[in-house]
Amino acid sequence: MRNTTVAALVYEFLFDVYWQIDAGRPHNDWLPDEHGVMREAFYHMHMSCWEWSTSVLEEVGAIKTLQMHPNRSSPYSYPLMTLDECRVADFSEFETFDNYCYAMFTFRQLIDQTSAREDEVNLAVRSPQFLEAVASKDDVFPVEDIDCVKFRRDRFEEKVMTRWRDPMQRRIFQRKDGAQK
């Protein structure tokens, strides 16, 4: 079994946030953070692929949710880390198989949302690190050539969803010690 690191998937999630922010310009909302500083906001559109990835990013401290209303979850957030900072950050306290399964389940949603062809990863919306840090390290992603990476649903089902459905006690992304941020 070959698995990429949780850190590599976190990087892909943050890359996706920056990619979405850049693609949305000039229509992005600028909203005040907790200190009144205006931030260009990432809007997850209440779509599970971005809701889940932003929850992972918030847990590791890479983004922060902009609180619009005191008792409701907000669909807006802003990055706290640059991509360079994320690339070198120490996420070792999150490197567990359950977190890997959670992150891969989430990443599959992003792949499904952004790929035009079934079972093929749209490399145009993945980071430049994807081939080396994710695809070449994980047996879910057979690399056919530099321009074509597949997504093996059978392998994903076998290793990720088997864990997801049966012994995974809590389907949350958390530190090794179980403490929530």
PDB file of all heavy atoms in Angstrom, residues 7 9 12 17 24 31 38 41 60 64 79-80 83 89 96 102-103 109 113 128 134 139-141 146 151 168-170:
ATOM      1  N   ALA A   7       0.093  15.892   4.459  1.00  0.00           N
ATOM      2  CA  ALA A   7       0.643  17.221   4.148  1.00  0.00           C
ATOM      3  C   ALA A   7       0.543  17.543   2.659  1.00  0.00           C
ATOM      4  O   ALA A   7       0.228  18.674   2.281  1.00  0.00           O
ATOM      5  CB  ALA A   7       2.093  17.313   4.619  1.00  0.00           C
ATOM      6  N   LEU A   9      -1.687  16.406   0.565  1.00  0.00           N
ATOM      7  CA  LEU A   9      -3.098  16.666   0.260  1.00  0.00           C
ATOM      8  C   LEU A   9      -3.532  18.021   0.794  1.00  0.00           C
ATOM      9  O   LEU A   9      -4.284  18.746   0.135  1.00  0.00           O
ATOM     10  CB  LEU A   9      -3.971  15.540   0.812  1.00  0.00           C
ATOM     11  CG  LEU A   9      -3.754  14.184   0.133  1.00  0.00           C
ATOM     12  CD1 LEU A   9      -4.474  13.076   0.885  1.00  0.00           C
ATOM     13  CD2 LEU A   9      -4.181  14.226  -1.322  1.00  0.00           C
ATOM     14  N   GLU A  12      -2.497  20.509  -1.676  1.00  0.00           N
ATOM     15  CA  GLU A  12      -3.409  20.528  -2.830  1.00  0.00           C
ATOM     16  C   GLU A  12      -4.693  21.287  -2.505  1.00  0.00           C
ATOM     17  O   GLU A  12      -5.214  22.021  -3.352  1.00  0.00           O
ATOM     18  CB  GLU A  12      -3.731  19.110  -3.295  1.00  0.00           C
ATOM     19  CG  GLU A  12      -2.571  18.396  -3.953  1.00  0.00           C
ATOM     20  CD  GLU A  12      -2.053  19.095  -5.197  1.00  0.00           C
ATOM     21  OE1 GLU A  12      -2.856  19.523  -6.051  1.00  0.00           O
ATOM     22  OE2 GLU A  12      -0.817  19.193  -5.329  1.00  0.00           O
ATOM     23  N   VAL A  17      -7.724  26.465  -3.156  1.00  0.00           N
ATOM     24  CA  VAL A  17      -8.314  27.712  -2.641  1.00  0.00           C
ATOM     25  C   VAL A  17      -7.719  28.908  -3.370  1.00  0.00           C
ATOM     26  O   VAL A  17      -8.452  29.781  -3.855  1.00  0.00           O
ATOM     27  CB  VAL A  17      -8.108  27.844  -1.111  1.00  0.00           C
ATOM     28  CG1 VAL A  17      -8.377  29.266  -0.629  1.00  0.00           C
ATOM     29  CG2 VAL A  17      -9.000  26.857  -0.366  1.00  0.00           C
ATOM     30  N   GLY A  24     -11.724  33.625  -9.620  1.00  0.00           N
ATOM     31  CA  GLY A  24     -12.917  34.419  -9.340  1.00  0.00           C
ATOM     32  C   GLY A  24     -12.739  35.922  -9.417  1.00  0.00           C
ATOM     33  O   GLY A  24     -13.708  36.680  -9.363  1.00  0.00           O
ATOM     34  N   LEU A  31     -14.232  40.912   2.522  1.00  0.00           N
ATOM     35  CA  LEU A  31     -14.970  40.939   3.780  1.00  0.00           C
ATOM     36  C   LEU A  31     -14.022  41.196   4.946  1.00  0.00           C
ATOM     37  O   LEU A  31     -12.855  40.810   4.893  1.00  0.00           O
ATOM     38  CB  LEU A  31     -15.697  39.609   3.991  1.00  0.00           C
ATOM     39  CG  LEU A  31     -16.696  39.224   2.893  1.00  0.00           C
ATOM     40  CD1 LEU A  31     -17.133  37.783   3.051  1.00  0.00           C
ATOM     41  CD2 LEU A  31     -17.887  40.163   2.916  1.00  0.00           C
ATOM     42  N   MET A  38      -9.880  44.058   5.735  1.00  0.00           N
ATOM     43  CA  MET A  38     -10.585  43.527   4.570  1.00  0.00           C
ATOM     44  C   MET A  38      -9.756  42.411   3.927  1.00  0.00           C
ATOM     45  O   MET A  38      -8.571  42.584   3.649  1.00  0.00           O
ATOM     46  CB  MET A  38     -10.877  44.631   3.564  1.00  0.00           C
ATOM     47  CG  MET A  38     -11.797  45.722   4.127  1.00  0.00           C
ATOM     48  SD  MET A  38     -13.383  45.095   4.738  1.00  0.00           S
ATOM     49  CE  MET A  38     -14.228  44.818   3.201  1.00  0.00           C
ATOM     50  N   ALA A  41     -12.031  37.028   0.022  1.00  0.00           N
ATOM     51  CA  ALA A  41     -12.583  35.800   0.592  1.00  0.00           C
ATOM     52  C   ALA A  41     -12.704  34.678  -0.423  1.00  0.00           C
ATOM     53  O   ALA A  41     -13.014  34.898  -1.592  1.00  0.00           O
ATOM     54  CB  ALA A  41     -13.958  36.090   1.184  1.00  0.00           C
ATOM     55  N   VAL A  60      -5.812  22.613  10.242  1.00  0.00           N
ATOM     56  CA  VAL A  60      -4.342  22.662  10.257  1.00  0.00           C
ATOM     57  C   VAL A  60      -3.811  24.090  10.373  1.00  0.00           C
ATOM     58  O   VAL A  60      -2.600  24.285  10.480  1.00  0.00           O
ATOM     59  CB  VAL A  60      -3.708  21.969   9.022  1.00  0.00           C
ATOM     60  CG1 VAL A  60      -4.130  20.511   8.953  1.00  0.00           C
ATOM     61  CG2 VAL A  60      -3.998  22.702   7.734  1.00  0.00           C
ATOM     62  N   LYS A  64      -8.664  30.635   7.653  1.00  0.00           N
ATOM     63  CA  LYS A  64      -9.535  31.017   8.763  1.00  0.00           C
ATOM     64  C   LYS A  64     -10.904  31.379   8.209  1.00  0.00           C
ATOM     65  O   LYS A  64     -11.005  32.084   7.213  1.00  0.00           O
ATOM     66  CB  LYS A  64      -8.955  32.198   9.532  1.00  0.00           C
ATOM     67  CG  LYS A  64      -9.768  32.543  10.747  1.00  0.00           C
ATOM     68  CD  LYS A  64      -8.995  33.345  11.724  1.00  0.00           C
ATOM     69  CE  LYS A  64      -9.827  33.446  12.992  1.00  0.00           C
ATOM     70  NZ  LYS A  64      -9.048  33.874  14.094  1.00  0.00           N
ATOM     71  N   PRO A  79      -6.999  32.693   3.320  1.00  0.00           N
ATOM     72  CA  PRO A  79      -5.762  31.976   3.640  1.00  0.00           C
ATOM     73  C   PRO A  79      -4.948  32.676   4.731  1.00  0.00           C
ATOM     74  O   PRO A  79      -4.840  33.895   4.758  1.00  0.00           O
ATOM     75  CB  PRO A  79      -4.983  31.985   2.325  1.00  0.00           C
ATOM     76  CG  PRO A  79      -5.984  32.281   1.269  1.00  0.00           C
ATOM     77  CD  PRO A  79      -7.029  33.129   1.938  1.00  0.00           C
ATOM     78  N   LEU A  80      -4.384  31.875   5.621  1.00  0.00           N
ATOM     79  CA  LEU A  80      -3.442  32.357   6.627  1.00  0.00           C
ATOM     80  C   LEU A  80      -2.007  32.036   6.228  1.00  0.00           C
ATOM     81  O   LEU A  80      -1.068  32.586   6.789  1.00  0.00           O
ATOM     82  CB  LEU A  80      -3.725  31.712   7.987  1.00  0.00           C
ATOM     83  CG  LEU A  80      -5.038  32.064   8.662  1.00  0.00           C
ATOM     84  CD1 LEU A  80      -5.233  31.216   9.919  1.00  0.00           C
ATOM     85  CD2 LEU A  80      -5.093  33.536   8.996  1.00  0.00           C
ATOM     86  N   LEU A  83       1.368  29.508  -0.211  1.00  0.00           N
ATOM     87  CA  LEU A  83       1.668  28.152  -0.682  1.00  0.00           C
ATOM     88  C   LEU A  83       3.076  27.723  -0.287  1.00  0.00           C
ATOM     89  O   LEU A  83       3.300  26.567   0.071  1.00  0.00           O
ATOM     90  CB  LEU A  83       1.472  28.058  -2.196  1.00  0.00           C
ATOM     91  CG  LEU A  83       0.017  28.101  -2.641  1.00  0.00           C
ATOM     92  CD1 LEU A  83      -0.075  28.215  -4.161  1.00  0.00           C
ATOM     93  CD2 LEU A  83      -0.745  26.874  -2.148  1.00  0.00           C
ATOM     94  N   ALA A  89       5.510  23.571   5.839  1.00  0.00           N
ATOM     95  CA  ALA A  89       4.921  23.470   7.180  1.00  0.00           C
ATOM     96  C   ALA A  89       5.004  22.030   7.698  1.00  0.00           C
ATOM     97  O   ALA A  89       4.996  21.065   6.932  1.00  0.00           O
ATOM     98  CB  ALA A  89       3.466  23.932   7.150  1.00  0.00           C
ATOM     99  N   THR A  96      -2.060  10.589  10.143  1.00  0.00           N
ATOM    100  CA  THR A  96      -2.649   9.321  10.565  1.00  0.00           C
ATOM    101  C   THR A  96      -3.379   8.712   9.378  1.00  0.00           C
ATOM    102  O   THR A  96      -3.743   9.422   8.434  1.00  0.00           O
ATOM    103  CB  THR A  96      -3.654   9.500  11.726  1.00  0.00           C
ATOM    104  OG1 THR A  96      -4.792  10.227  11.246  1.00  0.00           O
ATOM    105  CG2 THR A  96      -3.020  10.216  12.912  1.00  0.00           C
ATOM    106  N   TYR A 102      -9.778  10.560   5.355  1.00  0.00           N
ATOM    107  CA  TYR A 102     -10.633  11.743   5.320  1.00  0.00           C
ATOM    108  C   TYR A 102     -10.186  12.683   4.195  1.00  0.00           C
ATOM    109  O   TYR A 102     -11.005  13.156   3.405  1.00  0.00           O
ATOM    110  CB  TYR A 102     -10.570  12.455   6.669  1.00  0.00           C
ATOM    111  CG  TYR A 102     -11.556  13.586   6.833  1.00  0.00           C
ATOM    112  CD1 TYR A 102     -12.728  13.397   7.555  1.00  0.00           C
ATOM    113  CD2 TYR A 102     -11.324  14.845   6.295  1.00  0.00           C
ATOM    114  CE1 TYR A 102     -13.639  14.433   7.724  1.00  0.00           C
ATOM    115  CE2 TYR A 102     -12.225  15.875   6.447  1.00  0.00           C
ATOM    116  CZ  TYR A 102     -13.379  15.665   7.167  1.00  0.00           C
ATOM    117  OH  TYR A 102     -14.283  16.689   7.323  1.00  0.00           O
ATOM    118  N   ALA A 103      -8.890  12.943   4.123  1.00  0.00           N
ATOM    119  CA  ALA A 103      -8.358  13.854   3.112  1.00  0.00           C
ATOM    120  C   ALA A 103      -8.519  13.274   1.703  1.00  0.00           C
ATOM    121  O   ALA A 103      -8.850  14.001   0.762  1.00  0.00           O
ATOM    122  CB  ALA A 103      -6.893  14.181   3.400  1.00  0.00           C
ATOM    123  N   GLN A 109     -13.625  14.149  -4.045  1.00  0.00           N
ATOM    124  CA  GLN A 109     -14.704  15.072  -4.379  1.00  0.00           C
ATOM    125  C   GLN A 109     -14.192  16.205  -5.279  1.00  0.00           C
ATOM    126  O   GLN A 109     -14.871  16.592  -6.233  1.00  0.00           O
ATOM    127  CB  GLN A 109     -15.312  15.674  -3.115  1.00  0.00           C
ATOM    128  CG  GLN A 109     -16.077  14.688  -2.269  1.00  0.00           C
ATOM    129  CD  GLN A 109     -16.671  15.361  -1.065  1.00  0.00           C
ATOM    130  OE1 GLN A 109     -17.649  16.087  -1.183  1.00  0.00           O
ATOM    131  NE2 GLN A 109     -16.059  15.147   0.090  1.00  0.00           N
ATOM    132  N   GLN A 113     -15.306  16.999  -9.115  1.00  0.00           N
ATOM    133  CA  GLN A 113     -15.835  18.329  -9.439  1.00  0.00           C
ATOM    134  C   GLN A 113     -15.085  18.962 -10.610  1.00  0.00           C
ATOM    135  O   GLN A 113     -15.670  19.714 -11.381  1.00  0.00           O
ATOM    136  CB  GLN A 113     -15.741  19.243  -8.203  1.00  0.00           C
ATOM    137  CG  GLN A 113     -16.297  20.629  -8.390  1.00  0.00           C
ATOM    138  CD  GLN A 113     -17.800  20.643  -8.588  1.00  0.00           C
ATOM    139  OE1 GLN A 113     -18.521  19.793  -8.068  1.00  0.00           O
ATOM    140  NE2 GLN A 113     -18.294  21.593  -9.344  1.00  0.00           N
ATOM    141  N   PRO A 128       1.631  22.337  -9.297  1.00  0.00           N
ATOM    142  CA  PRO A 128       2.814  21.794  -9.967  1.00  0.00           C
ATOM    143  C   PRO A 128       3.470  20.661  -9.172  1.00  0.00           C
ATOM    144  O   PRO A 128       4.218  19.873  -9.721  1.00  0.00           O
ATOM    145  CB  PRO A 128       3.760  22.995 -10.057  1.00  0.00           C
ATOM    146  CG  PRO A 128       2.887  24.193  -9.932  1.00  0.00           C
ATOM    147  CD  PRO A 128       1.727  23.773  -9.069  1.00  0.00           C
ATOM    148  N   VAL A 134       1.968  13.727  -4.839  1.00  0.00           N
ATOM    149  CA  VAL A 134       0.745  12.950  -4.624  1.00  0.00           C
ATOM    150  C   VAL A 134       0.695  11.733  -5.556  1.00  0.00           C
ATOM    151  O   VAL A 134       0.717  10.599  -5.099  1.00  0.00           O
ATOM    152  CB  VAL A 134      -0.519  13.828  -4.804  1.00  0.00           C
ATOM    153  CG1 VAL A 134      -1.788  13.001  -4.620  1.00  0.00           C
ATOM    154  CG2 VAL A 134      -0.514  15.006  -3.822  1.00  0.00           C
ATOM    155  N   ASP A 139      -0.867   4.780  -4.662  1.00  0.00           N
ATOM    156  CA  ASP A 139      -1.306   3.797  -5.649  1.00  0.00           C
ATOM    157  C   ASP A 139      -2.739   4.004  -6.147  1.00  0.00           C
ATOM    158  O   ASP A 139      -3.210   3.261  -6.994  1.00  0.00           O
ATOM    159  CB  ASP A 139      -1.116   2.375  -5.124  1.00  0.00           C
ATOM    160  CG  ASP A 139      -1.795   2.112  -3.799  1.00  0.00           C
ATOM    161  OD1 ASP A 139      -2.569   2.956  -3.316  1.00  0.00           O
ATOM    162  OD2 ASP A 139      -1.537   1.034  -3.222  1.00  0.00           O
ATOM    163  N   VAL A 140      -3.413   5.038  -5.671  1.00  0.00           N
ATOM    164  CA  VAL A 140      -4.723   5.406  -6.212  1.00  0.00           C
ATOM    165  C   VAL A 140      -4.557   6.138  -7.548  1.00  0.00           C
ATOM    166  O   VAL A 140      -5.479   6.184  -8.352  1.00  0.00           O
ATOM    167  CB  VAL A 140      -5.503   6.284  -5.192  1.00  0.00           C
ATOM    168  CG1 VAL A 140      -6.733   6.923  -5.803  1.00  0.00           C
ATOM    169  CG2 VAL A 140      -5.899   5.448  -3.984  1.00  0.00           C
ATOM    170  N   PHE A 141      -3.370   6.691  -7.789  1.00  0.00           N
ATOM    171  CA  PHE A 141      -3.128   7.527  -8.970  1.00  0.00           C
ATOM    172  C   PHE A 141      -2.072   6.924  -9.896  1.00  0.00           C
ATOM    173  O   PHE A 141      -0.898   7.263  -9.803  1.00  0.00           O
ATOM    174  CB  PHE A 141      -2.650   8.924  -8.547  1.00  0.00           C
ATOM    175  CG  PHE A 141      -3.624   9.663  -7.704  1.00  0.00           C
ATOM    176  CD1 PHE A 141      -3.440   9.742  -6.336  1.00  0.00           C
ATOM    177  CD2 PHE A 141      -4.725  10.289  -8.267  1.00  0.00           C
ATOM    178  CE1 PHE A 141      -4.340  10.432  -5.536  1.00  0.00           C
ATOM    179  CE2 PHE A 141      -5.630  10.978  -7.487  1.00  0.00           C
ATOM    180  CZ  PHE A 141      -5.436  11.045  -6.113  1.00  0.00           C
ATOM    181  N   ILE A 146       3.290  12.186 -18.301  1.00  0.00           N
ATOM    182  CA  ILE A 146       3.332  13.491 -17.626  1.00  0.00           C
ATOM    183  C   ILE A 146       2.042  14.296 -17.815  1.00  0.00           C
ATOM    184  O   ILE A 146       1.736  15.174 -17.029  1.00  0.00           O
ATOM    185  CB  ILE A 146       4.575  14.287 -18.057  1.00  0.00           C
ATOM    186  CG1 ILE A 146       4.833  15.411 -17.091  1.00  0.00           C
ATOM    187  CG2 ILE A 146       4.438  14.803 -19.478  1.00  0.00           C
ATOM    188  CD1 ILE A 146       6.226  15.969 -17.144  1.00  0.00           C
ATOM    189  N   PHE A 151      -7.378   8.125 -11.926  1.00  0.00           N
ATOM    190  CA  PHE A 151      -7.848   7.924 -10.566  1.00  0.00           C
ATOM    191  C   PHE A 151      -8.450   6.533 -10.522  1.00  0.00           C
ATOM    192  O   PHE A 151      -9.446   6.263 -11.194  1.00  0.00           O
ATOM    193  CB  PHE A 151      -8.886   8.980 -10.187  1.00  0.00           C
ATOM    194  CG  PHE A 151      -9.431   8.813  -8.800  1.00  0.00           C
ATOM    195  CD1 PHE A 151      -8.674   9.179  -7.698  1.00  0.00           C
ATOM    196  CD2 PHE A 151     -10.693   8.284  -8.590  1.00  0.00           C
ATOM    197  CE1 PHE A 151      -9.166   9.018  -6.409  1.00  0.00           C
ATOM    198  CE2 PHE A 151     -11.194   8.121  -7.306  1.00  0.00           C
ATOM    199  CZ  PHE A 151     -10.426   8.489  -6.219  1.00  0.00           C
ATOM    200  N   MET A 168     -13.530   2.971  10.965  1.00  0.00           N
ATOM    201  CA  MET A 168     -13.224   4.368  11.283  1.00  0.00           C
ATOM    202  C   MET A 168     -14.284   4.892  12.245  1.00  0.00           C
ATOM    203  O   MET A 168     -15.437   5.076  11.876  1.00  0.00           O
ATOM    204  CB  MET A 168     -13.183   5.193   9.995  1.00  0.00           C
ATOM    205  CG  MET A 168     -12.503   6.520  10.138  1.00  0.00           C
ATOM    206  SD  MET A 168     -12.235   7.190   8.463  1.00  0.00           S
ATOM    207  CE  MET A 168     -11.847   8.864   8.865  1.00  0.00           C
ATOM    208  N   GLN A 169     -13.902   5.121  13.466  1.00  0.00           N
ATOM    209  CA  GLN A 169     -14.847   5.477  14.511  1.00  0.00           C
ATOM    210  C   GLN A 169     -15.478   6.858  14.319  1.00  0.00           C
ATOM    211  O   GLN A 169     -16.667   7.024  14.435  1.00  0.00           O
ATOM    212  CB  GLN A 169     -14.163   5.423  15.882  1.00  0.00           C
ATOM    213  CG  GLN A 169     -13.747   4.038  16.289  1.00  0.00           C
ATOM    214  CD  GLN A 169     -14.941   3.124  16.452  1.00  0.00           C
ATOM    215  OE1 GLN A 169     -15.929   3.497  17.047  1.00  0.00           O
ATOM    216  NE2 GLN A 169     -14.856   1.926  15.906  1.00  0.00           N
ATOM    217  N   ARG A 170     -14.636   7.830  14.043  1.00  0.00           N
ATOM    218  CA  ARG A 170     -15.138   9.200  13.895  1.00  0.00           C
ATOM    219  C   ARG A 170     -14.626   9.743  12.575  1.00  0.00           C
ATOM    220  O   ARG A 170     -13.438   9.741  12.321  1.00  0.00           O
ATOM    221  CB  ARG A 170     -14.644  10.072  15.043  1.00  0.00           C
ATOM    222  CG  ARG A 170     -15.167   9.579  16.377  1.00  0.00           C
ATOM    223  CD  ARG A 170     -14.629  10.389  17.513  1.00  0.00           C
ATOM    224  NE  ARG A 170     -15.146  11.734  17.418  1.00  0.00           N
ATOM    225  CZ  ARG A 170     -14.584  12.770  18.013  1.00  0.00           C
ATOM    226  NH1 ARG A 170     -13.508  12.620  18.727  1.00  0.00           N
ATOM    227  NH2 ARG A 170     -15.105  13.974  17.888  1.00  0.00           N
TER     228      ARG A 170
END
